[in-house]
Amino acid sequence: MKQQDIDRIAASLDALECKTLKEVEEARVRFLGKKGEITALFEEFRTVDRDQKAIFGRLLNELKQKAQARIEELKGKAADEGSSDGPKIDLSMPGDPYELGSRHPVSIVRQEIVDIFRKFGYDVAEGPEIEDDYHVFEALNFPANHPARDMQDTFFVSAGHLNPLLLRTHTSSVQVRTMEKMPVPIRVICPGRVFRNEAISARAHCIFHQVEGLYIDENVSFADLKQAILLFAREMFGPDTQIRMRPSYFPFTEPSAEVDVSCNICHGKGCNICKGTGWLEILGCGMVDPNVLEASGIDSKRYSGFAFGMGLERIAMLKWRVNDLRHYFENDMRFLREFAAAPEV
Ligand code: PHE
């Protein structure tokens, strides 16, 4: 056995380069495998003279340790560089945290309203956002060219026809579709997105959400409407809530009313949210106009009903005292995260 053999192997270990884990394994076999160069030296060691055994024994063990360390080092490098043996995976690394989303405040409020009316026995109905003039206006007693159409500035999709397509300005259109399809008695609420051609400001937006409701049966009276709204307001804003109704006008209801709830912030004393009045406006409602019932094939002599409609952003604004409507549409994460802790409803 010669010192040079050991030095030569040590030098080639230093010079060793491996790009892949496969090459590292080949190098291991070349030096340390059963027929490897270092293994061969160990075989040869048996024949070494007694007096030299101690020296060569130490040198050989050092060489073997060097080889093992070098192979480990190369293995680590090849794995880091992402060898062709597959993607590098370090199972000890901490995982990527999941960003937990939260429900949008409008969704939270919609769900709350839907749950309240479900308890009263109402079903949920939905309809198209792109509607025709008939279902948004005509069937709801807005005669052609009637100025009431200006109450809701409309986005038209295709103008110039007798029955143009447009983006619905309220979900009352879903109530018409329900009356056309379903037998009386009818008890539905229609949540959905609506569109009006309005300048965007803190108090108005061209897209918002409504929940409208419709109840038709024999002998439905204004007292029933008032009671339904009162029960809803108390579920939504607390058991001490009072309501008041002010006369109003909608083409599809007669009589019509606007409903205010007592301000749940100052409890009627007057604050800047209720502008010192003690009352907050939340919805419009009324007894369904007989013309509307007849237009959808319901006998207005036998049946009567009430309808109501409210804006979800407005209810959300009152609930969370957010004073700028635009927050609900901008998807600013800082705003949305505020609702992450909102109770599951
Ligand atoms: N459709 C009305 C609106 O969008 C709300 C409403 C619904 C009023 C039902 C009365 C009855 O403003």
Side-chain angles (χ1 to χ4, degrees):
M1 175 167 290
K2 292 188 206 103
Q3 171 85 43
Q4 291 99 300
D5 291 339
I6 292 173
D7 291 346
R8 184 182 46 78
I9 292 177
S12 51
L13 276 171
D14 285 336
L16 199 58
E17 269 186 70
C18 298
K19 286 202 188 66
T20 65
L21 288 173
K22 193 161 164 261
E23 284 177 21
V24 178
E25 177 57 12
E26 283 163 7
R28 190 193 64 78
V29 172
R30 174 180 152 201
F31 291 102
L32 296 167
K34 267 195 185 152
K35 293 180 186 158
E37 295 179 26
I38 295 176
T39 319
L41 285 185
F42 273 93
E43 293 287 321
E44 209 184 315
F45 178 70
R46 294 199 213 143
T47 62
V48 168
D49 291 342
R50 254 170 197 278
D51 56 340
Q52 301 215 313
K53 268 215 152 77
I55 302 169
F56 277 111
R58 185 171 54 77
L59 286 177
L60 270 184
N61 276 328
E62 278 172 9
L63 182 67
K64 188 175 174 184
Q65 276 165 15
K66 182 186 170 83
Q68 283 167 338
R70 181 79 180 125
I71 295 286
E72 279 310 309
E73 183 192 339
L74 289 168
K75 215 189 242 177
K77 269 196 203 160
D80 273 353
E81 277 158 26
S83 73
S84 59
D85 290 338
K88 67 168 185 191
I89 299 175
D90 181 350
L91 295 177
S92 66
M93 293 276 283
D96 291 335
Y98 278 112
E99 271 261 16
L100 258 196
S102 56
R103 300 212 302 156
H104 193 281
V106 171
S107 301
I108 295 172
V109 165
R110 181 189 51 206
Q111 192 59 47
E112 223 171 292
I113 295 172
V114 165
D115 286 347
I116 292 170
F117 281 102
R118 276 230 177 91
K119 276 199 279 190
F120 300 165
Y122 285 69
D123 286 329
V124 173
E126 286 182 358
E129 291 180 349
I130 301 177
E131 257 294 4
D132 54 25
D133 181 275
Y134 177 79
H135 287 92
V136 175
F137 294 125
E138 198 69 34
L140 286 160
N141 204 31
F142 289 80
N145 304 320
H146 191 282
R149 289 186 183 225
D150 288 344
M151 281 168 76
Q152 306 176 354
D153 277 331
T154 309
F155 288 115
F156 286 91
V157 175
S158 64
H161 303 282
L162 265 182
N163 187 20
L165 286 179
L166 43 87
L167 300 182
R168 66 181 179 195
T169 57
H170 50 184
T171 55
S172 306
S173 50
V174 185
Q175 306 186 4
V176 175
R177 289 189 177 274
T178 306
M179 286 189 282
E180 288 170 349
K181 277 200 308 258
M182 284 198 352
V184 183
I186 291 172
R187 229 183 285 175
V188 286
I189 49 167
C190 316
R193 204 155 53 143
V194 299
F195 309 84
R196 292 183 193 177
N197 189 1
E198 304 218 19
I200 296 170
S201 72
R203 302 187 60 84
H205 207 286
C206 56
I207 303 176
F208 58 100
H209 298 79
Q210 283 189 327
V211 170
E212 295 213 356
L214 176 69
Y215 179 30
I216 300 174
D217 202 347
E218 287 178 1
N219 299 321
V220 177
S221 71
F222 199 93
D224 297 322
L225 166 62
K226 194 173 170 193
Q227 187 63 15
I229 301 292
L230 180 66
L231 286 177
F232 162 71
R234 292 198 164 155
E235 290 272 337
M236 190 76 203
F237 298 104
D240 303 329
T241 308
Q242 304 290 327
I243 62 166
R244 84 175 175 185
M245 293 177 130
R246 287 176 287 108
S248 185
Y249 172 77
F250 300 102
F252 34 89
T253 47
E254 183 59 37
S256 304
E258 217 108 34
V259 177
D260 301 337
V261 291
S262 51
C263 179
N264 61 350
I265 294 153
C266 63
H267 301 286
K269 288 193 201 76
C271 65
N272 62 347
I273 301 284
C274 62
K275 300 208 199 75
T277 63
W279 296 97
L280 299 161
E281 185 191 320
I282 56 159
L283 55 80
C285 63
M287 301 306 292
V288 181
D289 192 300
N291 287 347
V292 172
L293 297 175
E294 295 291 340
S296 296
I298 293 173
D299 181 355
S300 66
K301 304 235 164 27
R302 182 161 172 211
Y303 297 110
S304 55
F306 62 71
F308 56 86
M310 65 193 111
L312 291 183
E313 283 79 5
R314 172 144 187 90
I315 305 272
M317 279 168 100
L318 298 179
K319 190 176 162 81
W320 286 296
R321 295 170 219 176
V322 174
N323 53 12
D324 192 326
L325 195 62
R326 289 168 289 197
H327 287 306
Y328 291 107
F329 301 93
E330 284 167 358
N331 285 335
D332 184 329
M333 293 296 281
R334 291 166 302 178
F335 175 71
L336 295 179
R337 281 204 190 101
E338 292 284 311
F339 301 90
E344 208 32 55
V345 284

